């Protein structure tokens, strides 16, 4: 491959990954063509991109911080995967595919400049995602207010129930008294 062609490929890779700081590195070399297309289409529906690259071109295209973090994982056939809501959603999706296909292998990744091993990516896939954490935090914030409202409504509801019971009882007595 000529130097000019390599430069064009590196520029193309740079343009695709510009602004991305969270990657996973997977080995998809043992997948057949049909399964690879099925995987890519499924990932695309979730706004996840998979790009098979030569390691030498990836090292030139990635910014210095990511290269240092990904360097141990850029060996052999390499596919860079990025996108989705966040790194947790990305790792969950890839871990699901690894479990289903059994021939796809996670080598590692990088999140916010920190290198992640395959085991760390697996642990990350089991943790709650961004939206789940926001929901948990919102629940924790609203919990004291809900408890206060329940404490205030509890005695009031009990009193209202007793008054309603008395009103029904007197209403029944008046009806029976009118009929006799």
């Amino acid at each position: 491959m000529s130097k000019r062609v390599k430069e064009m490929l590196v520029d193309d890779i740079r343009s695709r990954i510009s602004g991305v700081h969270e990657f996973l590195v997977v080995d998809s070399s043992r997948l057949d063509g049909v399964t690879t297309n099925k995987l890519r289409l499924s990932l695309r529906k979730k706004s996840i991109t998979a790009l098979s690259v030569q390691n030498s071109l990836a090292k030139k295209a990635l910014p210095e911080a990511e290269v240092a973090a990904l360097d141990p994982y850029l060996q052999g056939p390499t596919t860079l995967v990025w996108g989705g809501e966040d790194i947790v959603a990305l790792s969950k999706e890839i871990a699901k595919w690894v479990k289903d296909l059994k021939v796809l292998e996670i080598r590692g990744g990088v999140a916010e400049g920190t290198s992640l091993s395959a085991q760390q990516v697996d642990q990350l896939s089991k943790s709650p995602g961004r939206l789940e954490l926001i929901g948990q935090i919102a629940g924790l914030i609203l919990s004291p207010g809900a408890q206060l409202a329940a404490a205030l409504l509890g005695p009031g509801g009990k009193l209202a129930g007793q008054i309603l019971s008395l009103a029904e009882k007197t209403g029944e007595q008046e009806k029976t008294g009118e009929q006799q």
Side-chain angles (χ1 to χ4, degrees), residues 1 6 9-10 13 53-62:
M1 196 178 326
K6 285 183 183 179
L9 287 173
V10 168
I13 294 169
V53 295
Q54 285 183 342
N55 295 327
S56 60
L57 296 178
K59 288 178 183 179
K60 289 179 183 178
L62 291 168

Side-chain angles (χ1 to χ4, degrees), residues 6 9-25 51 53-75 78-82 109-110:
K6 285 183 183 179
L9 287 173
V10 168
D11 289 340
D12 181 51
I13 294 169
R14 275 191 191 127
S15 69
R16 289 182 186 208
I17 62 173
S18 65
V20 178
H21 300 290
E22 298 171 336
F23 293 96
L24 292 183
V25 178
L51 178 66
V53 295
Q54 285 183 342
N55 295 327
S56 60
L57 296 178
K59 288 178 183 179
K60 289 179 183 178
L62 291 168
E64 291 300 318
E66 275 85 17
V67 171
L70 285 176
D71 206 27
Y73 311 118
L74 294 177
Q75 307 202 359
T78 300
T79 302
L80 294 175
V81 184
W82 70 90
V110 63

Side-chain angles (χ1 to χ4, degrees), residues 18-179:
S18 65
V20 178
H21 300 290
E22 298 171 336
F23 293 96
L24 292 183
V25 178
V26 298
D27 179 4
S28 62
S29 63
R30 295 182 300 197
L31 295 177
D32 61 1
V34 173
T35 308
T36 301
N37 284 339
K38 186 176 156 185
L39 170 67
R40 288 179 186 270
L41 287 172
S42 174
L43 293 177
R44 189 176 298 153
K45 288 178 184 175
K46 296 184 179 190
S47 301
I48 297 174
T49 304
L51 178 66
S52 296
V53 295
Q54 285 183 342
N55 295 327
S56 60
L57 296 178
K59 288 178 183 179
K60 289 179 183 178
L62 291 168
E64 291 300 318
E66 275 85 17
V67 171
L70 285 176
D71 206 27
Y73 311 118
L74 294 177
Q75 307 202 359
T78 300
T79 302
L80 294 175
V81 184
W82 70 90
E85 289 178 13
D86 57 0
I87 189 70
V88 176
L90 176 63
S91 62
K92 282 183 182 188
E93 185 64 24
I94 297 300
K96 181 185 80 136
W97 278 97
V98 166
K99 184 179 175 186
D100 291 346
L101 298 177
K102 306 220 186 323
V103 293
L104 188 66
E105 175 189 347
I106 298 175
R107 288 201 196 135
V110 63
E112 299 177 7
T114 305
S115 180
L116 301 171
S117 67
Q119 293 81 17
Q120 289 172 323
V121 172
D122 187 49
Q123 289 174 348
L124 191 61
S125 71
K126 296 174 184 171
S127 65
R130 181 178 164 267
L131 294 177
E132 293 172 72
L133 284 174
I134 289 172
Q136 289 175 358
I137 291 170
L140 289 173
I141 290 171
L142 295 175
S143 177
Q147 289 176 352
L148 178 62
L152 292 175
L153 292 176
K158 195 172 190 180
L159 180 62
Q162 291 174 350
I163 292 173
L164 182 63
S165 168
L166 286 173
E168 288 175 354
K169 203 183 259 186
T170 57
E172 287 177 13
Q173 287 177 353
E174 288 177 1
K175 283 183 183 179
T176 56
E178 291 175 4
Q179 291 176 355

